[in-house]
Amino acid sequence: MTAEPMIDSHGDQTAAPVPVTVRASLSPSRAADFKTCPLLYRFRSIDRLPERPTVEQARGTLVHAVLERLFDLPASARTPESAGDLVAPQWDRLVTEEPELASLFADGDTAGPQEFLRSATALLDGYFAVEDPRRLEPAEREALISAVVDDELLIRGYLDRLDVAPDGALRVVDYKTGGAPREAFEARALFQLKFYALVLWRTRGVVPRVLRLLYLKDAEVCDYAPDADELVRFERTVVALWRAIEQATARQDFRPRPSRLCDWCSHQALCPSYGGTPPPFPVAAAAPDPLVDARSRPVAPGADE
């Protein structure tokens, strides 16, 4: 399998050219959707059904935004107080950019938004319990990284943070605003981080030394050390997943896979497992644009937690 590097960030909006051989793209969120439930993948990536944001997802987005901006400050200023001061301005910015977030709270409800901001600040306290940002200088924050594998599949995703040690060792860091993981969520989170590790290995020739999950609610750290053999196997898994997605698309056959994760699904009313009927399969999906990824923007952080 071959790979061609493509690395971008929010600070550099110049996208790398996509090789002409590429005919499909896959993000960790889309891949995880298909693994979790093929019908969920269809609803999100083919039907592109809207999903109303939840308070949990909005809080996750807000905390991620604050932690990204925290590292804009001089090292000595990266304190809990400074992080707390960023909460309200970052929320105002997010609501301006995504007005639908304002609908999370009823008109005239002042207590709800205030408690929401307090709960976000409490999660930041969990962050400071496990890391001292004054001692860190991230190499990348909210960076879009991508590579081509199997000559024709573009894999890409957004890193919360990438740390590079003086010896060149890489550490991928992902912030989780939910509680410490139960098995199903931990597997999904590690799948996402292995996806990033594969891209970094294929683009930089370095296997990340550490994949780190920071669970802010419980102030817990989960570290995982991948190796090259594991990433080779993971690459085969990713390619096989995409081939299964292509087959399901050609057959217009995306079946539900009920699990305890269904409790968080926005589309139960359309799911046959709950007595619903999916909408007609979109005609345009028979020949979709392979590089249009409904989930190519950073997934709402709370969505996977």
Side-chain angles (χ1 to χ4, degrees), residues 2-25:
T2 61
E4 298 183 34
M6 280 173 262
I7 302 177
D8 194 8
S9 70
H10 287 195
D12 179 7
Q13 297 301 321
T14 302
V18 176
V20 295
T21 57
V22 169
R23 64 185 188 88
S25 69

Side-chain angles (χ1 to χ4, degrees), residues 30-43 188 254-259 261-262 265 271 273:
R30 288 185 66 186
D33 284 345
F34 189 80
K35 277 171 57 69
T36 299
C37 173
L39 186 58
L40 175 63
Y41 172 92
R42 181 200 144 172
F43 285 155
R188 185 179 177 104
F254 291 87
R255 301 184 185 185
R257 185 176 296 150
S259 73
L261 297 177
C262 293
C265 184
C271 179
S273 295

Side-chain angles (χ1 to χ4, degrees), residues 1 14 16 31 87 105 160 166 198 202 207 221 239-240 257 277 291-292 294:
M1 296 182 180
T14 302
V87 171
F105 307 102
D160 283 351
L198 173 59
R202 287 305 191 193
V207 175
V221 178
V239 172
R257 185 176 296 150
T277 302
L291 299 182
V292 173

Side-chain angles (χ1 to χ4, degrees), residues 7-15 68-69 72 139-144 158-159:
I7 302 177
D8 194 8
S9 70
H10 287 195
D12 179 7
Q13 297 301 321
T14 302
E68 181 185 2
R69 297 303 187 278
D72 289 335
E140 300 280 352
R141 288 172 286 144
E142 285 296 324
L144 174 62
Y158 282 89
L159 296 171

Side-chain angles (χ1 to χ4, degrees), residues 23 46 48 249 283-292:
R23 64 185 188 88
I46 296 178
R48 305 196 177 202
T249 303
V283 175
D289 182 342
L291 299 182
V292 173

Side-chain angles (χ1 to χ4, degrees), residues 101-168:
L101 291 174
S103 65
L104 290 171
F105 307 102
D107 291 340
D109 179 8
T110 58
Q114 290 175 358
E115 176 55 32
F116 172 78
L117 296 180
R118 281 195 293 268
S119 66
T121 302
L123 288 172
L124 293 169
D125 292 339
Y127 168 73
F128 282 93
V130 295
E131 269 195 346
D132 183 354
R134 295 173 299 179
R135 304 180 61 174
L136 298 168
E137 290 298 339
E140 300 280 352
R141 288 172 286 144
E142 285 296 324
L144 174 62
I145 61 171
S146 46
V148 178
V149 298
D150 202 37
D151 296 325
E152 58 186 10
L153 175 62
L154 176 70
I155 59 174
R156 57 188 177 182
Y158 282 89
L159 296 171
D160 283 351
R161 199 179 85 212
L162 179 66
D163 300 334
V164 181
D167 64 357

Side-chain angles (χ1 to χ4, degrees), residues 1-242:
M1 296 182 180
T2 61
E4 298 183 34
M6 280 173 262
I7 302 177
D8 194 8
S9 70
H10 287 195
D12 179 7
Q13 297 301 321
T14 302
V18 176
V20 295
T21 57
V22 169
R23 64 185 188 88
S25 69
L26 189 63
S27 67
S29 296
R30 288 185 66 186
D33 284 345
F34 189 80
K35 277 171 57 69
T36 299
C37 173
L39 186 58
L40 175 63
Y41 172 92
R42 181 200 144 172
F43 285 155
R44 283 178 165 171
S45 299
I46 296 178
D47 297 294
R48 305 196 177 202
L49 301 180
E51 295 185 4
R52 183 182 177 85
T54 67
V55 170
E56 291 76 15
Q57 290 170 353
R59 184 164 43 236
T61 301
L62 173 58
V63 170
H64 278 68
V66 169
L67 290 175
E68 181 185 2
R69 297 303 187 278
L70 182 66
F71 286 99
D72 289 335
L73 301 176
S76 61
R78 297 171 195 161
T79 64
E81 294 75 21
S82 295
D85 290 342
L86 289 169
V87 171
Q90 285 303 307
W91 177 242
D92 291 342
R93 178 183 65 82
L94 290 171
V95 172
T96 299
E97 294 176 356
E98 301 180 46
E100 65 270 19
L101 291 174
S103 65
L104 290 171
F105 307 102
D107 291 340
D109 179 8
T110 58
Q114 290 175 358
E115 176 55 32
F116 172 78
L117 296 180
R118 281 195 293 268
S119 66
T121 302
L123 288 172
L124 293 169
D125 292 339
Y127 168 73
F128 282 93
V130 295
E131 269 195 346
D132 183 354
R134 295 173 299 179
R135 304 180 61 174
L136 298 168
E137 290 298 339
E140 300 280 352
R141 288 172 286 144
E142 285 296 324
L144 174 62
I145 61 171
S146 46
V148 178
V149 298
D150 202 37
D151 296 325
E152 58 186 10
L153 175 62
L154 176 70
I155 59 174
R156 57 188 177 182
Y158 282 89
L159 296 171
D160 283 351
R161 199 179 85 212
L162 179 66
D163 300 334
V164 181
D167 64 357
L170 305 181
R171 178 172 64 195
V172 179
V173 180
D174 197 65
Y175 307 123
K176 295 297 182 187
T177 52
R182 289 170 287 178
E183 183 179 353
F185 292 105
E186 183 178 23
R188 185 179 177 104
L190 285 176
F191 178 88
Q192 179 184 12
L193 290 186
K194 289 179 183 178
F195 206 100
Y196 299 150
L198 173 59
V199 173
L200 291 168
W201 180 43
R202 287 305 191 193
T203 56
R204 303 190 183 194
V206 178
V207 175
R209 182 176 295 172
V210 177
L211 307 179
R212 172 165 292 180
L213 293 160
L214 298 184
Y215 288 94
L216 308 187
K217 182 178 180 181
D218 297 321
E220 292 189 13
V221 178
C222 175
D223 281 349
Y224 186 82
D227 59 41
D229 289 341
E230 179 180 13
L231 293 183
V232 168
R233 294 191 297 272
F234 185 76
E235 184 174 14
R236 295 191 188 114
T237 297
V238 169
V239 172
L241 265 175
W242 178 251

